[in-house]
Amino acid sequence: MGNPLKEVELGGAKDPGAKPLSTAGESAEVPLLSESSQNDALDDTPETNGVDKTPQTPPSNVESKSLSDDLKQSEEKLDPNFDSLAKIADGGDDQAPLLSQQFRSDEARGTPPPSNGTAASESVHYAPELLKEMEVKYAAYVRHDVYGNWGMRDISLLEKLQLAVALVTLCPIRIFLLFGMLVLFYVICKVCTLRVTATSSDEGQESYAHMTGVRRMIIVRSGRFLARAMLFAFGFYYIPVTNRTSAEAQRLHLGLGDSDESKEGEDKRVESACPGAVVSNHVSYLDILYHMSASFPSFVAKRSVAKLPLVGLISKCLGCVYVQREYKSSDHKGVSGVVTERLQAAHSDPKAPGLLLFPEGTTTNGGFLLPFKTGAFLAHTPVQPVILKYPFNRFSPAWDTISGVRHVILLLCQYVNHLEVVRLPVYRPTEKECADPKLYANNVRTLMAAEGNLTMADIGLYEKRIFHNALLGKPAPVAPAPNGNESK
């Protein structure tokens, strides 16, 4: 306990002169010009300047003007950004020699970057130096396993043989077991919800979490057992759990010590030790399986999850809160109200289903902790911080910079996977934290980073999309709205 925090400076820790990393509300400068366009722009040839400087008999004024116009028109047909390129070639842009002023202004307004008249899916050239710089800035999303980013790194012959053997032997067995357990839990949920009407609200929330008695007990116990069995099928045979019991430790980490405020409010907070939510760092979709096996909480999911085969009914039995993640919809306030009500209900009633929240809003490679959103802290209820870590030798279970299908296949082909859990004491907010949810969220984040030896990085989902697009050779994503409200 008490490991010093490691803050990531937003320009790279090793280069003090590097530019700071842009936040979710700022524009990120990435090149949109193809390699050939850059070479044409930076090559100070007679054709670039539109004038033929070869020593010869000077043509008449009419012929010279016609020749210059023809050359310029031909250049503009090849590259619509001819004017911007000419400025770059002449040294007119000192801040970003690979970016036109038009792109930076469009990005600042949140409009899509220019695509030179091509389809959005067409590849874009990114300089290797820029990609290396991005790996420093966006280190929270870089994969450090054998397979590398997107699982496309060249691997050794031995690794290929191990992967081939597991693909034809271990992988089919695990798929069969996982699908069988999923169907079994669906059948249990289907039977237990017969002749039971799901609760619904104006926000489109449907849930069977209100059930009590034997039916609820069967769903919870079978769900916890099957969730742990599914982790076993994934190769997580043993999961060590460390329970931190010293409530005073969190105060020491935050520098509060034995303040009078902490002593006076301690007795009042002890009376309400039941947490309203489990707050966890987010590394993989496997996080949900672990939390289901540990406490079977509800969680926040996309609205489309409720309509999925098998999983849809299971999520309703869990009591999930459904939201629209791609944009801030008109029911955002209603969803926030549902989350707050659920947190307060779980805090006041031990029998009410708890809520699992990932305040980072997206996944990382497991070594970093992103800024927390305040949704889990608006209800002013205590929270249960939980830290998940996935040690690895060959393949990292973290779902960061890799496609879902490739991640599942490589995970199933790994013979043994590892997961370590650290459960911190229930964090009870002070009066100042109740009055300032952002302070509450930052203090919990600081505590989790110290206890889990995680690096705090001030980047978010938008920077993750920038990094992914750069690795895939795609144009930069559209900048988020100025209000910065962006969910996973």
Side-chain angles (χ1 to χ4, degrees):
M1 296 176 61
N3 293 318
L5 296 178
K6 299 175 289 182
E7 283 285 343
V8 171
E9 294 295 334
L10 303 182
K14 296 182 179 180
D15 186 4
K19 295 181 179 180
L21 175 63
S22 63
T23 59
E26 299 175 351
S27 61
E29 297 184 356
V30 292
L32 287 193
L33 305 180
S34 63
E35 184 175 7
S36 61
S37 298
Q38 294 172 18
N39 293 336
D40 292 342
L42 298 175
D43 186 11
D44 191 16
T45 61
E47 288 75 14
T48 301
N49 296 325
V51 178
D52 189 358
K53 298 181 180 179
T54 305
Q56 57 183 332
T57 303
S60 62
N61 294 336
V62 177
E63 293 176 351
S64 177
K65 182 178 181 181
S66 175
L67 178 61
S68 177
D69 293 342
D70 291 341
L71 289 174
K72 186 173 182 180
Q73 290 177 2
S74 63
E75 290 289 350
E76 290 177 344
K77 290 181 181 179
L78 293 175
D79 194 344
N81 291 330
F82 175 78
D83 292 335
S84 298
L85 294 176
K87 291 181 181 180
I88 296 173
D90 294 336
D93 192 344
D94 298 331
Q95 294 181 354
L98 296 180
L99 291 175
S100 67
Q101 294 180 354
Q102 179 65 32
F103 167 68
R104 289 198 305 276
S105 60
D106 287 346
E107 188 181 32
R109 292 194 301 266
T111 57
S115 58
N116 292 341
T118 58
S121 59
E122 186 173 338
S123 62
V124 178
H125 175 74
Y126 289 82
E129 295 78 7
L130 180 62
L131 293 178
K132 291 181 180 180
E133 182 181 351
M134 284 186 173
E135 288 188 353
V136 176
K137 291 181 177 180
Y138 309 140
Y141 310 125
V142 178
R143 296 187 65 84
H144 301 287
D145 59 4
V146 174
Y147 299 92
N149 293 324
W150 296 111
M152 300 297 293
R153 181 182 297 169
D154 292 335
I155 56 178
S156 63
L157 179 60
L158 178 60
E159 185 67 26
K160 292 180 180 178
L161 292 175
Q162 292 178 344
L163 186 60
V165 172
L167 190 62
V168 298
T169 57
L170 184 61
C171 187
I173 296 176
R174 285 180 168 177
I175 292 177
F176 176 79
L177 292 175
L178 290 169
F179 184 75
M181 286 183 281
L182 180 63
V183 172
L184 176 59
F185 190 41
Y186 171 80
V187 172
I188 293 174
C189 292
K190 190 69 174 178
V191 172
C192 291
T193 55
L194 288 175
R195 299 182 180 180
V196 177
T197 304
T199 58
S200 59
S201 63
D202 296 337
E203 290 79 20
Q205 307 292 334
E206 294 184 5
S207 173
Y208 289 101
H210 66 284
M211 291 192 307
T212 58
V214 177
R215 295 191 181 194
R216 180 64 183 175
M217 180 188 68
I218 293 175
I219 290 178
V220 172
R221 291 189 178 182
S222 61
R224 294 182 62 178
F225 174 80
L226 291 175
R228 183 62 186 91
M230 292 180 74
L231 285 173
F232 189 90
F234 270 116
F236 295 91
Y237 306 119
Y238 173 68
I239 302 178
V241 179
T242 302
N243 291 288
R244 302 283 170 80
T245 57
S246 176
E248 188 65 25
Q250 59 181 312
R251 309 240 159 251
L252 296 178
H253 276 300
L254 297 176
L256 299 180
D258 295 328
S259 64
D260 295 337
E261 180 184 353
S262 63
K263 290 181 178 180
E264 292 175 359
E266 189 67 24
D267 294 337
K268 296 180 180 179
R269 293 191 295 271
V270 167
E271 297 176 0
S272 56
C274 186
V278 174
V279 174
S280 173
N281 63 319
H282 203 7
V283 184
S284 174
Y285 51 82
L286 299 166
D287 303 346
I288 296 177
L289 281 179
Y290 167 74
H291 287 291
M292 284 181 61
S293 67
S295 56
F296 203 76
S298 307
F299 56 91
V300 179
K302 291 182 180 180
R303 193 181 298 276
S304 58
V305 171
K307 300 179 181 179
L308 293 176
L310 303 179
V311 178
L313 177 61
I314 294 175
S315 66
K316 293 178 182 179
C317 290
L318 280 164
C320 292
V321 178
Y322 302 111
V323 298
Q324 191 73 25
R325 295 172 182 263
E326 295 304 324
Y327 58 90
K328 182 178 178 180
S329 57
S330 58
D331 65 349
H332 177 78
K333 183 177 181 180
V335 172
S336 283
V338 172
V339 171
T340 301
E341 291 177 359
R342 294 286 297 275
L343 292 174
Q344 293 173 347
H347 173 53
S348 58
D349 184 6
K351 295 182 180 180
L355 199 61
L356 168 64
L357 295 172
F358 300 107
E360 293 174 284
T362 188
T363 55
T364 66
N365 57 18
F368 293 80
L369 202 62
L370 307 182
F372 279 7
K373 301 181 185 302
T374 58
F377 310 95
L378 294 175
H380 311 151
T381 57
V383 295
Q384 171 75 69
V386 177
I387 304 169
L388 305 180
K389 307 189 78 171
Y390 294 84
F392 64 91
N393 294 321
R394 294 169 52 233
F395 175 73
S396 170
W399 189 26
D400 41 20
T401 306
I402 188 171
S403 66
V405 174
R406 188 181 300 271
H407 185 275
V408 171
I409 293 176
L410 293 176
L411 182 68
L412 292 174
C413 291
Q414 186 158 252
Y415 295 94
V416 180
N417 290 297
H418 303 278
L419 170 60
E420 298 175 355
V421 181
V422 178
R423 300 179 64 87
L424 303 182
V426 174
Y427 191 105
R428 305 173 187 88
T430 63
E431 293 183 1
K432 290 183 179 180
E433 291 170 337
C434 289
D436 186 357
K438 181 173 289 188
L439 174 65
Y440 186 9
N442 289 339
N443 286 347
V444 174
R445 179 189 179 216
T446 302
L447 171 66
M448 293 177 64
E451 291 288 344
N453 194 26
L454 303 175
T455 302
M456 300 174 70
D458 292 331
I459 55 179
L461 180 58
Y462 178 62
E463 286 77 17
K464 185 177 187 179
R465 290 171 176 168
I466 292 176
F467 184 53
H468 285 185
N469 285 17
L471 293 176
L472 295 175
K474 295 182 179 180
V478 177
N483 55 23
N485 291 328
E486 184 179 15
S487 57
K488 180 183 173 184

